[in-house]
């Protein structure tokens, strides 16, 4: 039983490491045909746009913004401060992720 539990823990650690290995945000031109979900602050100005396409999470922000990406279980996958513009993050695994900024919390499905 102890070997089974150890094997499962090792598998979880390896999975987490493989998820974290490919999680770097890169700057891109605005994606073409994709629906972006726009969040507005109290003044009505756009803060963050989030979209998903072909295994990538796209984020467009108007000012420097810290973005955190979590698994549905709450494990932090990526945390980075993005400069204004459009950025994308390649998601290695399909699933449900939580994207958090100072103003926005968004669930995305890959």
């Amino acid at each position: 039983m102890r070997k089974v539990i150890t094997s499962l823990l090792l598998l979880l650690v390896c999975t987490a490491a493989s998820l974290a290995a490919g999680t770097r945000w890169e700057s891109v031109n605005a994606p073409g045909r994709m629906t972006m979900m726009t969040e507005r602050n109290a003044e009505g100005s756009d803060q963050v746009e989030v979209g998903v396409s072909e295994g990538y999470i796209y984020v467009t922000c108007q000012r420097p913004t810290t973005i955190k990406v979590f698994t549905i279980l709450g494990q932090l996958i990526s945390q980075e401060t993005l400069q204004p513009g459009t950025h994308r993050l390649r998601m290695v695994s399909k699933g449900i992720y939580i994207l958090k900024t100072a103003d926005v919390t968004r669930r995305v499905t890959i």
Side-chain angles (χ1 to χ4, degrees), residues 66-98:
T66 299
I67 303 286
K68 294 180 184 179
V69 180
F70 297 91
T71 65
I72 195 68
L73 299 175
Q75 179 185 13
L76 181 65
I77 293 176
S78 174
Q79 177 177 347
E80 194 164 335
T81 301
L82 303 178
Q83 297 305 312
T86 301
H87 307 274
R88 72 179 182 181
L89 177 67
R90 174 83 175 136
M91 301 309 293
V92 179
S93 306
K94 291 183 178 182
I96 299 172
Y97 298 93
I98 307 298

Side-chain angles (χ1 to χ4, degrees), residues 24-30 82-88:
R24 293 292 306 164
W25 288 94
E26 57 185 351
S27 294
V28 295
N29 292 329
L82 303 178
Q83 297 305 312
T86 301
H87 307 274
R88 72 179 182 181

Side-chain angles (χ1 to χ4, degrees), residues 54-68:
E54 299 178 10
Y56 286 95
I57 296 175
Y58 288 87
V59 172
T60 300
C61 51
Q62 304 300 321
R63 58 184 168 83
T65 305
T66 299
I67 303 286
K68 294 180 184 179

